[in-house]
Amino acid sequence: AQSVTQLGSHVSVSEGALVLLRCNYSSSVPPYLFWYVQYPNQGLQLLLKYTSAATLVKGINGFEAEFKKSETSFHLTKPSAHMSDAAEYFCAVSDLRTGRRALTFGSGTRLQVQP
Amino acid sequence: DTAVSQTPKYLVTQMGNDKSIKCEQNLGHDTMYWYKQDSKKFLKIMFSYNNKELIINETVPNRFSPKSPDKAHLNLHINSLELGDSAVYFCASSLTDTYEQYFGPGTRLTVT
C-alpha cells in the first residue's frame, strides 16, 4: 500500500523567509502527487500537482514543488512567506498501479508565519 | 457558483440519532468521494462513487451508508451515531481521467 510521510507536524518561519515543507512517498511506481492547503475551518484547496510531466511543478500563491524519484520526495517550497500562508498543508498520493483514485494523505504540516 | 457544496456545515446531535449529509458538485465530474478528518487532522477515504456506482468502500461501519442519486450528488447517511463519529466529513469530486480532486467546505459533525 502506498503511504505518505510529512516530516514535521509544525513548521514556523518568519515573514519573508523560505518555506520548506517535506513530503516523502513510498511506492514502487511513481505516483501522482498533490499538495493541498487547508485554512482554518475550511475545505482543502489544491495547491499543485505532479502527474509525470515536468518534475518542477508550479502552483498557486507562489508555491512550487519538485518531484525527485531518487529520493521519493515531493517537497513544497515558497521563496518568501506571507502571513496569509499560515495554514495546514497536506501532501497526498494517488495509486496509479491500481487506478484507485482515492487519495492517501500525509498527516499534515501546520505552517506558522511569524511577523 | 460553488464547485462542491455540502450541507449542513455544522451538525450537532446526540448519540443514537440518525443523520444525513448532502453533497453536490457542479463541475461535471463523474467521480465523488467521502473523506473523514479526525480530531488530529488525519484524512482518510471512506467511499467513492463513479457514475453512481460504488467503487471504493473502505473499512467503515455498516452504520454509514452512501447514496448517489446521480453523478452530481453523493449523500452520506449515518445510523445510530456514536461519540467516535465526531469528525469533519469532506466530500470531493474528480473526473475519471484525472486524479486531482476538488473538495467541499466540510461538515463538522459533533455527537454528544
Side-chain angles (χ1 to χ4, degrees):
Chain A
Q2 299 208 123
S3 66
V4 177
T5 302
Q6 291 185 240
L7 291 175
S9 59
H10 289 84
V11 170
S12 183
V13 300
S14 298
E15 194 172 18
L18 171 72
V19 175
L20 170 61
L21 304 183
R22 299 178 186 274
C23 173
N24 288 86
Y25 67 91
S26 67
S27 174
S28 58
V29 174
Y32 285 176
L33 291 154
F34 306 86
W35 275 100
Y36 283 85
V37 61
Q38 184 179 26
Y39 298 102
N41 297 315
Q42 294 188 27
L44 283 81
Q45 181 181 9
L46 181 63
L47 272 180
L48 48 79
K49 61 182 179 182
Y50 167 76
T51 55
S52 73
T55 56
L56 182 61
V57 180
K58 294 188 183 298
I60 62 172
N61 301 337
F63 284 94
E64 62 181 38
E66 186 173 8
F67 173 73
K68 292 187 177 180
K69 182 179 177 181
S70 61
E71 299 177 7
T72 60
S73 68
F74 190 57
H75 302 331
L76 182 70
T77 61
K78 182 174 180 178
S80 176
H82 294 170
M83 296 296 290
S84 60
D85 294 327
E88 191 89 23
Y89 291 80
F90 293 93
C91 183
V93 63
S94 267
D95 189 346
L96 297 186
R97 293 171 302 164
T98 63
R100 188 172 181 268
R101 284 167 174 73
L103 294 174
T104 299
F105 284 89
S107 54
T109 298
R110 175 164 294 179
L111 176 66
Q112 292 181 313
V113 182
Q114 308 290 342
Chain B
D1 57 344
T2 304
V4 182
S5 60
Q6 294 179 229
T7 54
K9 187 169 176 62
Y10 299 97
L11 186 53
V12 181
T13 188
Q14 292 183 328
M15 286 175 54
N17 285 347
D18 303 338
K19 291 294 179 184
S20 291
I21 306 171
K22 295 185 176 183
C23 177
E24 177 181 1
Q25 55 92 6
N26 62 5
L27 297 168
H29 290 169
D30 54 9
T31 306
M32 296 185 72
Y33 313 79
W34 279 112
Y35 288 86
K36 179 180 180 180
Q37 186 175 46
D38 63 22
S39 59
K40 295 185 178 180
K41 300 280 189 178
F42 186 69
L43 282 147
K44 188 173 181 182
I45 183 70
M46 298 175 69
F47 302 103
S48 176
Y49 271 77
N50 178 257
N51 287 315
K52 302 193 299 176
E53 180 183 348
L54 181 66
I55 56 173
I56 294 176
N57 185 353
E58 290 295 289
T59 308
V60 177
N62 291 337
R63 299 181 294 102
F64 290 78
S65 54
K67 184 168 288 187
S68 181
D70 56 57
K71 289 195 302 183
H73 296 84
L74 179 60
N75 303 323
L76 182 65
H77 188 75
I78 315 170
N79 290 324
S80 303
L81 278 155
E82 300 178 358
L83 292 176
D85 298 331
S86 295
V88 181
Y89 293 85
F90 285 102
C91 177
S93 71
S94 70
L95 281 171
T96 300
D97 294 339
T98 70
Y99 285 75
E100 60 191 78
Q101 297 179 19
Y102 294 86
F103 284 76
T107 296
R108 182 175 295 274
L109 171 64
T110 303
V111 183
T112 62

Coordinates of all heavy atoms in Angstrom, one line a residue, chain A residues 19-103:
Chain A
V19 N 10.0 29.0 2.8 CA 9.2 27.9 3.3 C 9.6 26.6 2.7 O 9.7 26.5 1.4 CB 7.7 28.2 3.0 CG1 6.8 27.0 3.5 CG2 7.2 29.5 3.6
L20 N 9.8 25.6 3.5 CA 10.1 24.3 3.0 C 9.3 23.3 3.8 O 9.5 23.1 5.0 CB 11.6 24.0 3.1 CG 12.0 22.5 2.9 CD1 11.7 22.1 1.4 CD2 13.5 22.3 3.1
L21 N 8.4 22.6 3.2 CA 7.6 21.6 3.8 C 7.9 20.2 3.1 O 7.8 20.1 1.9 CB 6.1 21.9 3.7 CG 5.6 23.2 4.2 CD1 4.1 23.4 4.1 CD2 6.1 23.4 5.6
R22 N 8.2 19.2 3.9 CA 8.8 18.0 3.4 C 7.7 16.9 3.2 O 6.8 16.8 4.1 CB 9.9 17.5 4.3 CG 11.0 18.4 4.4 CD 12.1 17.9 5.3 NE 13.2 18.9 5.5 CZ 14.2 19.0 4.8 NH1 14.4 18.2 3.7 NH2 15.1 20.0 5.0
C23 N 7.8 16.2 2.1 CA 6.9 15.1 1.8 C 7.7 14.0 1.2 O 8.4 14.2 0.2 CB 5.8 15.5 0.9 SG 4.7 14.2 0.3
N24 N 7.6 12.8 1.7 CA 8.2 11.6 1.1 C 7.1 10.5 0.9 O 6.2 10.4 1.7 CB 9.3 11.0 1.9 CG 10.5 11.9 1.9 OD1 10.7 12.8 2.7 ND2 11.4 11.6 1.0
Y25 N 7.2 9.8 -0.2 CA 6.2 8.8 -0.5 C 6.8 7.5 -0.6 O 8.0 7.4 -0.9 CB 5.4 9.2 -1.8 CG 6.3 9.1 -3.1 CD1 6.4 7.9 -3.8 CD2 7.1 10.2 -3.5 CE1 7.2 7.8 -4.9 CE2 7.9 10.1 -4.6 CZ 8.0 8.9 -5.3 OH 8.8 8.8 -6.4
S26 N 6.0 6.4 -0.5 CA 6.5 5.1 -0.7 C 5.6 4.5 -1.8 O 4.4 4.4 -1.6 CB 6.4 4.3 0.6 OG 5.1 4.1 0.9
S27 N 6.3 4.1 -2.9 CA 5.6 3.4 -4.0 C 6.6 2.8 -4.9 O 7.6 3.5 -5.2 CB 4.7 4.5 -4.7 OG 4.1 3.9 -5.9
S28 N 6.3 1.7 -5.5 CA 7.2 1.0 -6.4 C 7.0 1.7 -7.8 O 7.9 1.6 -8.6 CB 6.9 -0.5 -6.5 OG 5.6 -0.7 -6.9
V29 N 5.9 2.3 -8.0 CA 5.7 3.0 -9.3 C 5.5 4.5 -8.9 O 4.7 4.8 -8.0 CB 4.4 2.4 -9.9 CG1 4.1 3.3 -11.2 CG2 4.6 1.0 -10.3
P30 N 6.2 5.4 -9.6 CA 6.0 6.8 -9.3 C 4.5 7.2 -9.4 O 3.9 6.9 -10.4 CB 6.8 7.5 -10.4 CG 7.9 6.5 -10.7 CD 7.2 5.2 -10.6
P31 N 3.9 7.7 -8.3 CA 2.5 8.0 -8.3 C 2.2 9.4 -8.8 O 3.2 10.1 -9.2 CB 2.2 7.9 -6.9 CG 3.4 8.4 -6.2 CD 4.6 8.0 -7.1
Y32 N 1.0 9.8 -8.8 CA 0.7 11.2 -8.9 C 0.7 11.8 -7.5 O 0.3 11.1 -6.6 CB -0.7 11.4 -9.5 CG -0.8 11.1 -11.0 CD1 -2.0 11.2 -11.7 CD2 0.3 10.8 -11.8 CE1 -2.1 10.9 -13.0 CE2 0.2 10.6 -13.1 CZ -1.0 10.6 -13.8 OH -1.1 10.4 -15.1
L33 N 1.2 13.0 -7.4 CA 1.4 13.6 -6.1 C 0.7 15.0 -6.1 O 0.7 15.7 -7.1 CB 2.9 13.8 -5.8 CG 3.6 12.4 -5.5 CD1 5.1 12.6 -5.9 CD2 3.4 12.0 -4.1
F34 N 0.2 15.3 -4.9 CA -0.5 16.6 -4.8 C -0.2 17.3 -3.4 O 0.2 16.6 -2.5 CB -2.0 16.3 -4.7 CG -2.5 15.5 -5.9 CD1 -2.5 14.1 -5.9 CD2 -3.1 16.1 -7.0 CE1 -3.0 13.4 -6.9 CE2 -3.5 15.4 -8.1 CZ -3.5 14.0 -8.1
W35 N -0.3 18.6 -3.4 CA -0.2 19.3 -2.2 C -1.5 20.1 -2.1 O -2.0 20.8 -3.1 CB 0.9 20.3 -2.2 CG 2.2 19.8 -1.7 CD1 3.3 19.3 -2.5 CD2 2.6 19.6 -0.4 NE1 4.3 18.9 -1.7 CE2 3.9 19.0 -0.4 CE3 2.0 19.8 0.9 CZ2 4.7 18.7 0.8 CZ3 2.7 19.5 2.0 CH2 4.0 18.9 2.0
Y36 N -2.1 20.0 -0.9 CA -3.4 20.7 -0.6 C -3.1 21.6 0.6 O -2.3 21.3 1.4 CB -4.5 19.8 -0.3 CG -5.1 19.1 -1.4 CD1 -4.6 17.9 -1.9 CD2 -6.3 19.6 -2.0 CE1 -5.2 17.2 -3.0 CE2 -6.9 18.9 -3.1 CZ -6.3 17.8 -3.6 OH -6.9 17.1 -4.7
V37 N -3.8 22.7 0.6 CA -3.8 23.6 1.8 C -5.2 23.7 2.4 O -6.2 23.7 1.7 CB -3.3 25.0 1.4 CG1 -4.2 25.7 0.3 CG2 -3.1 25.9 2.6
Q38 N -5.2 23.7 3.7 CA -6.4 23.9 4.5 C -6.3 25.0 5.4 O -5.5 25.0 6.4 CB -6.8 22.6 5.2 CG -8.1 22.6 5.9 CD -8.4 21.3 6.7 OE1 -7.6 20.6 7.1 NE2 -9.7 21.1 6.8
Y39 N -7.1 26.1 5.2 CA -7.2 27.2 6.1 C -8.2 26.9 7.2 O -9.0 26.0 7.0 CB -7.6 28.5 5.4 CG -6.6 28.9 4.3 CD1 -6.8 28.6 3.0 CD2 -5.4 29.5 4.7 CE1 -5.8 29.0 2.0 CE2 -4.4 29.8 3.7 CZ -4.7 29.6 2.4 OH -3.7 29.9 1.4
P40 N -8.1 27.5 8.4 CA -8.9 27.1 9.5 C -10.4 27.1 9.1 O -10.9 28.0 8.5 CB -8.6 28.3 10.5 CG -7.2 28.7 10.2 CD -7.1 28.6 8.7
N41 N -11.0 26.0 9.5 CA -12.5 25.8 9.3 C -12.9 25.9 7.8 O -14.0 26.3 7.5 CB -13.3 26.9 10.1 CG -13.0 26.7 11.6 OD1 -13.0 25.6 12.1 ND2 -12.8 27.8 12.3
Q42 N -12.0 25.5 7.0 CA -12.3 25.5 5.5 C -12.0 24.1 4.9 O -11.4 23.3 5.6 CB -11.6 26.6 4.8 CG -12.0 28.0 5.2 CD -11.4 29.0 4.3 OE1 -11.1 28.8 3.1 NE2 -11.2 30.2 4.8
G43 N -12.4 24.0 3.7 CA -12.1 22.7 3.0 C -10.6 22.7 2.5 O -9.9 23.7 2.7
L44 N -10.3 21.7 1.7 CA -8.9 21.6 1.1 C -8.9 22.2 -0.3 O -9.8 22.0 -1.1 CB -8.5 20.1 1.0 CG -8.1 19.5 2.3 CD1 -9.3 19.1 3.2 CD2 -7.2 18.3 2.1
Q45 N -7.8 23.0 -0.5 CA -7.7 23.7 -1.8 C -6.4 23.1 -2.4 O -5.4 23.0 -1.8 CB -7.5 25.2 -1.6 CG -7.4 26.0 -2.8 CD -7.2 27.4 -2.6 OE1 -7.0 27.9 -1.5 NE2 -7.2 28.2 -3.7
L46 N -6.5 22.7 -3.7 CA -5.4 22.2 -4.4 C -4.4 23.2 -4.7 O -4.7 24.3 -5.3 CB -5.9 21.5 -5.7 CG -4.8 20.9 -6.6 CD1 -4.2 19.7 -5.9 CD2 -5.4 20.5 -7.9
L47 N -3.1 23.0 -4.2 CA -2.0 24.0 -4.5 C -1.3 23.6 -5.8 O -1.0 24.5 -6.6 CB -1.0 23.9 -3.3 CG -1.2 24.7 -2.1 CD1 0.0 24.5 -1.1 CD2 -1.2 26.2 -2.5
L48 N -1.0 22.4 -5.9 CA -0.3 22.0 -7.1 C -0.3 20.4 -7.2 O -0.7 19.7 -6.3 CB 1.2 22.5 -7.1 CG 2.0 22.3 -5.9 CD1 2.5 20.8 -5.8 CD2 3.2 23.2 -5.9
K49 N 0.1 19.9 -8.4 CA 0.0 18.5 -8.6 C 1.2 18.1 -9.5 O 1.6 18.8 -10.4 CB -1.3 18.1 -9.3 CG -1.5 18.8 -10.7 CD -2.8 18.4 -11.3 CE -2.9 19.1 -12.7 NZ -4.2 18.9 -13.3
Y50 N 1.7 16.8 -9.3 CA 2.6 16.2 -10.2 C 2.0 15.0 -10.9 O 1.5 14.1 -10.2 CB 3.9 15.8 -9.4 CG 4.7 14.8 -10.2 CD1 5.6 15.4 -11.2 CD2 4.7 13.5 -10.1 CE1 6.3 14.5 -12.0 CE2 5.5 12.6 -10.8 CZ 6.3 13.1 -11.8 OH 7.0 12.3 -12.6
T51 N 2.0 15.1 -12.2 CA 1.3 14.0 -13.0 C 2.3 13.5 -14.1 O 1.8 13.2 -15.2 CB 0.0 14.4 -13.5 OG1 0.2 15.6 -14.3 CG2 -1.0 14.7 -12.4
S52 N 3.5 13.3 -13.7 CA 4.6 12.7 -14.6 C 5.0 13.6 -15.8 O 5.5 13.1 -16.7 CB 4.1 11.3 -15.1 OG 3.1 11.4 -16.0
A53 N 4.7 14.8 -15.7 CA 5.2 15.7 -16.8 C 6.5 16.4 -16.2 O 7.4 15.7 -15.8 CB 4.1 16.8 -17.1
A54 N 6.5 17.7 -16.1 CA 7.7 18.3 -15.6 C 7.9 18.0 -14.1 O 6.9 17.9 -13.4 CB 7.5 19.9 -15.7
T55 N 9.1 17.8 -13.7 CA 9.4 17.4 -12.3 C 9.3 18.6 -11.4 O 9.1 18.4 -10.2 CB 10.8 16.8 -12.2 OG1 11.8 17.7 -12.7 CG2 10.8 15.4 -12.9
L56 N 9.5 19.8 -11.9 CA 9.3 21.0 -11.1 C 7.9 21.6 -11.4 O 7.6 21.9 -12.5 CB 10.4 22.1 -11.4 CG 10.3 23.3 -10.6 CD1 10.5 23.0 -9.1 CD2 11.4 24.3 -11.1
V57 N 7.1 21.6 -10.4 CA 5.7 22.0 -10.6 C 5.4 23.3 -9.9 O 5.8 23.5 -8.7 CB 4.8 20.9 -10.0 CG1 3.3 21.3 -10.2 CG2 5.0 19.5 -10.7
K58 N 4.8 24.2 -10.6 CA 4.4 25.5 -10.0 C 2.9 25.5 -9.7 O 2.1 25.0 -10.5 CB 4.8 26.6 -11.0 CG 6.3 26.8 -11.2 CD 6.6 28.0 -12.0 CE 8.1 28.1 -12.2 NZ 8.9 28.2 -11.0
G59 N 2.6 26.0 -8.5 CA 1.2 26.1 -8.1 C 0.7 27.5 -7.9 O 1.4 28.5 -8.3
I60 N -0.3 27.5 -7.1 CA -0.9 28.8 -6.8 C -0.2 29.5 -5.6 O 0.5 28.8 -4.9 CB -2.4 28.7 -6.5 CG1 -2.6 27.8 -5.3 CG2 -3.2 28.2 -7.7 CD1 -4.1 27.8 -4.8
N61 N -0.4 30.8 -5.5 CA 0.2 31.5 -4.3 C 1.7 31.5 -4.2 O 2.2 31.6 -3.1 CB -0.5 31.1 -3.0 CG -2.0 31.2 -3.0 OD1 -2.5 32.0 -3.8 ND2 -2.6 30.4 -2.2
G62 N 2.4 31.3 -5.3 CA 3.8 31.3 -5.3 C 4.5 30.0 -4.9 O 5.7 30.0 -4.7
F63 N 3.7 29.0 -4.6 CA 4.3 27.7 -4.2 C 4.8 26.9 -5.4 O 4.2 27.0 -6.5 CB 3.3 26.9 -3.4 CG 3.1 27.4 -2.0 CD1 2.1 28.3 -1.7 CD2 3.9 27.0 -1.0 CE1 1.9 28.8 -0.4 CE2 3.7 27.4 0.3 CZ 2.7 28.3 0.6
E64 N 5.8 26.1 -5.1 CA 6.2 25.1 -6.1 C 6.8 23.9 -5.4 O 7.0 23.9 -4.2 CB 7.3 25.7 -7.1 CG 8.6 26.1 -6.4 CD 9.6 26.7 -7.4 OE1 9.1 27.4 -8.4 OE2 10.8 26.4 -7.3
A65 N 6.9 22.8 -6.2 CA 7.3 21.5 -5.6 C 8.1 20.8 -6.7 O 7.9 20.9 -7.9 CB 6.2 20.7 -5.1
E66 N 9.1 20.0 -6.2 CA 10.0 19.3 -7.1 C 9.8 17.8 -6.8 O 10.1 17.4 -5.7 CB 11.4 19.7 -7.0 CG 12.3 19.0 -8.1 CD 13.7 19.6 -8.1 OE1 14.1 20.4 -7.2 OE2 14.5 19.2 -9.0
F67 N 9.5 17.0 -7.9 CA 9.5 15.6 -7.8 C 10.9 15.0 -8.0 O 11.5 15.3 -9.0 CB 8.5 15.0 -8.8 CG 8.5 13.5 -8.9 CD1 7.9 12.8 -7.9 CD2 9.1 12.9 -9.9 CE1 7.9 11.4 -8.0 CE2 9.1 11.5 -10.0 CZ 8.5 10.7 -9.0
K68 N 11.3 14.3 -7.0 CA 12.6 13.6 -7.1 C 12.5 12.1 -6.9 O 12.3 11.7 -5.7 CB 13.6 14.2 -6.0 CG 14.0 15.6 -6.3 CD 15.1 16.1 -5.3 CE 15.5 17.5 -5.6 NZ 16.6 18.0 -4.7
K69 N 12.5 11.4 -8.0 CA 12.3 10.0 -7.9 C 13.3 9.3 -7.1 O 13.0 8.4 -6.3 CB 12.3 9.4 -9.3 CG 12.0 7.9 -9.4 CD 11.9 7.4 -10.8 CE 11.7 6.0 -10.9 NZ 11.7 5.5 -12.3
S70 N 14.6 9.7 -7.2 CA 15.7 9.0 -6.5 C 15.5 9.2 -5.0 O 16.0 8.3 -4.2 CB 17.0 9.6 -6.9 OG 17.1 11.0 -6.7
E71 N 14.9 10.2 -4.6 CA 14.7 10.5 -3.1 C 13.3 10.2 -2.7 O 13.0 10.4 -1.5 CB 15.1 11.9 -2.8 CG 16.5 12.3 -3.1 CD 16.8 13.8 -2.8 OE1 15.9 14.5 -2.3 OE2 17.9 14.2 -3.2
T72 N 12.4 9.8 -3.6 CA 11.0 9.6 -3.4 C 10.4 10.7 -2.6 O 9.7 10.6 -1.6 CB 10.7 8.2 -2.7 OG1 11.4 8.2 -1.4 CG2 11.1 7.1 -3.5
S73 N 10.7 11.9 -3.1 CA 10.3 13.1 -2.3 C 9.5 14.1 -3.2 O 9.6 14.0 -4.5 CB 11.5 13.9 -1.7 OG 12.3 14.4 -2.8
F74 N 8.7 14.9 -2.6 CA 7.9 15.9 -3.3 C 7.8 17.1 -2.3 O 6.7 17.4 -1.9 CB 6.6 15.3 -3.7 CG 5.8 16.2 -4.7 CD1 6.3 16.6 -5.9 CD2 4.5 16.6 -4.3 CE1 5.6 17.4 -6.7 CE2 3.7 17.3 -5.2 CZ 4.3 17.8 -6.4
H75 N 8.9 17.8 -2.0 CA 8.9 18.8 -1.1 C 8.2 20.1 -1.6 O 8.5 20.5 -2.8 CB 10.3 19.1 -0.6 CG 11.0 18.0 0.0 ND1 10.3 16.9 0.7 CD2 12.3 17.6 0.1 CE1 11.1 16.0 1.1 NE2 12.4 16.4 0.8
L76 N 7.5 20.8 -0.8 CA 6.9 22.1 -1.2 C 7.7 23.3 -0.7 O 8.2 23.3 0.4 CB 5.5 22.1 -0.5 CG 4.6 23.3 -0.8 CD1 4.1 23.3 -2.3 CD2 3.4 23.4 0.1
T77 N 7.9 24.2 -1.6 CA 8.7 25.4 -1.2 C 8.0 26.7 -1.7 O 7.2 26.7 -2.6 CB 10.1 25.4 -1.8 OG1 10.0 25.3 -3.3 CG2 10.9 24.2 -1.4
K78 N 8.4 27.7 -1.0 CA 8.0 29.1 -1.4 C 9.1 30.0 -1.0 O 9.6 30.0 0.2 CB 6.7 29.5 -0.7 CG 6.2 30.9 -1.2 CD 4.8 31.2 -0.6 CE 4.4 32.6 -1.1 NZ 3.0 33.0 -0.6
P79 N 9.6 30.9 -1.9 CA 10.8 31.7 -1.6 C 10.6 32.6 -0.4 O 11.5 32.9 0.4 CB 11.0 32.4 -2.9 CG 10.3 31.7 -3.9 CD 9.1 31.0 -3.3
S80 N 9.4 33.2 -0.3 CA 9.2 34.2 0.7 C 7.8 34.1 1.3 O 6.8 34.2 0.7 CB 9.3 35.6 0.0 OG 9.0 36.7 0.9
A81 N 7.8 33.8 2.6 CA 6.5 33.5 3.3 C 5.7 34.8 3.6 O 6.3 35.8 3.9 CB 6.8 32.8 4.6
H82 N 4.4 34.7 3.4 CA 3.5 35.8 3.8 C 2.7 35.3 5.0 O 2.5 34.1 5.2 CB 2.5 36.1 2.6 CG 3.2 36.7 1.5 ND1 2.6 36.9 0.2 CD2 4.5 37.1 1.3 CE1 3.5 37.4 -0.6 NE2 4.6 37.6 0.0
M83 N 2.2 36.3 5.7 CA 1.3 35.9 6.9 C 0.1 35.1 6.4 O -0.3 34.2 7.2 CB 0.8 37.2 7.6 CG 2.0 38.1 8.2 SD 2.8 37.2 9.5 CE 1.5 37.2 10.8
S84 N -0.4 35.4 5.3 CA -1.5 34.7 4.8 C -1.3 33.2 4.4 O -2.2 32.4 4.1 CB -2.1 35.4 3.5 OG -1.1 35.4 2.5
D85 N 0.0 32.8 4.4 CA 0.3 31.4 4.2 C 0.1 30.5 5.4 O 0.2 29.3 5.2 CB 1.8 31.3 3.7 CG 2.0 31.9 2.4 OD1 1.1 32.0 1.5 OD2 3.2 32.5 2.2
A86 N -0.1 31.1 6.5 CA -0.3 30.2 7.7 C -1.6 29.4 7.5 O -2.7 29.9 7.3 CB -0.5 31.2 8.9
A87 N -1.4 28.1 7.6 CA -2.4 27.1 7.3 C -1.9 25.7 7.6 O -0.7 25.5 7.9 CB -2.9 27.2 5.9
E88 N -2.7 24.7 7.3 CA -2.3 23.3 7.4 C -2.1 22.8 5.9 O -2.9 23.1 5.1 CB -3.4 22.5 8.0 CG -3.0 21.1 8.4 CD -2.4 20.9 9.8 OE1 -2.7 21.8 10.6 OE2 -1.7 20.0 10.0
Y89 N -1.0 22.2 5.7 CA -0.6 21.7 4.4 C -0.6 20.2 4.4 O 0.1 19.5 5.2 CB 0.7 22.3 3.9 CG 0.6 23.8 3.7 CD1 0.7 24.7 4.8 CD2 0.5 24.3 2.4 CE1 0.6 26.0 4.6 CE2 0.4 25.7 2.2 CZ 0.4 26.5 3.3 OH 0.3 27.9 3.1
F90 N -1.2 19.6 3.3 CA -1.2 18.1 3.2 C -0.6 17.7 1.9 O -1.0 18.2 0.8 CB -2.7 17.6 3.3 CG -3.4 17.8 4.6 CD1 -4.1 19.0 4.8 CD2 -3.2 16.9 5.6 CE1 -4.7 19.1 6.1 CE2 -3.9 17.1 6.8 CZ -4.6 18.2 7.1
C91 N 0.2 16.7 2.0 CA 0.7 16.0 0.8 C -0.1 14.8 0.6 O -0.5 14.1 1.5 CB 2.2 15.6 1.0 SG 3.0 14.8 -0.4
A92 N -0.4 14.5 -0.7 CA -1.3 13.3 -1.0 C -0.8 12.6 -2.2 O -0.1 13.2 -3.1 CB -2.7 13.8 -1.1
V93 N -1.1 11.3 -2.3 CA -0.7 10.5 -3.4 C -1.8 9.7 -3.9 O -2.7 9.3 -3.2 CB 0.5 9.6 -2.9 CG1 0.0 8.6 -1.8 CG2 1.1 8.8 -4.0
S94 N -1.8 9.5 -5.3 CA -2.8 8.6 -5.9 C -2.0 7.3 -6.4 O -0.9 7.4 -6.9 CB -3.4 9.3 -7.1 OG -4.6 9.9 -6.8
D95 N -2.7 6.2 -6.3 CA -2.0 4.9 -6.6 C -2.3 4.6 -8.1 O -3.4 4.2 -8.4 CB -2.6 3.8 -5.7 CG -1.9 2.5 -5.9 OD1 -1.1 2.4 -6.9 OD2 -2.0 1.6 -5.1
L96 N -1.3 4.8 -8.9 CA -1.5 4.5 -10.3 C -1.5 3.1 -10.7 O -2.0 2.6 -11.7 CB -0.4 5.3 -11.2 CG -0.4 6.8 -11.0 CD1 0.6 7.3 -12.0 CD2 -1.8 7.4 -11.3
R97 N -0.9 2.2 -9.8 CA -0.9 0.8 -10.1 C -2.3 0.2 -10.2 O -2.6 -0.6 -11.0 CB 0.0 0.1 -9.1 CG 1.4 0.4 -9.1 CD 2.1 -0.2 -7.9 NE 1.4 0.3 -6.7 CZ 1.6 -0.3 -5.5 NH1 2.3 -1.4 -5.4 NH2 1.0 0.1 -4.4
T98 N -3.1 0.6 -9.2 CA -4.4 0.0 -9.2 C -5.5 0.9 -9.8 O -6.6 0.4 -10.0 CB -4.8 -0.2 -7.7 OG1 -4.9 1.1 -7.1 CG2 -3.8 -1.0 -7.0
G99 N -5.1 2.1 -10.1 CA -6.1 3.0 -10.7 C -7.1 3.5 -9.6 O -8.1 4.2 -9.9
R100 N -6.8 3.2 -8.4 CA -7.6 3.6 -7.3 C -7.5 5.1 -7.1 O -6.4 5.6 -6.8 CB -7.2 2.8 -6.0 CG -8.1 3.0 -4.8 CD -7.6 2.0 -3.8 NE -8.4 2.1 -2.6 CZ -8.2 2.9 -1.5 NH1 -7.2 3.7 -1.5 NH2 -9.0 2.9 -0.5
R101 N -8.5 5.8 -7.3 CA -8.4 7.2 -7.3 C -8.5 7.9 -6.0 O -8.4 9.1 -5.9 CB -9.5 7.8 -8.3 CG -9.1 7.6 -9.7 CD -10.2 7.8 -10.7 NE -9.7 7.8 -12.1 CZ -9.3 6.6 -12.7 NH1 -9.5 5.5 -12.0 NH2 -8.9 6.7 -13.9
A102 N -8.7 7.2 -5.0 CA -8.8 7.8 -3.6 C -7.4 8.3 -3.3 O -6.4 7.6 -3.6 CB -9.2 6.8 -2.6
L103 N -7.3 9.4 -2.7 CA -6.1 10.0 -2.2 C -5.7 9.4 -0.9 O -6.5 9.3 0.0 CB -6.2 11.5 -2.1 CG -6.4 12.3 -3.5 CD1 -6.6 13.7 -3.2 CD2 -5.2 12.1 -4.4

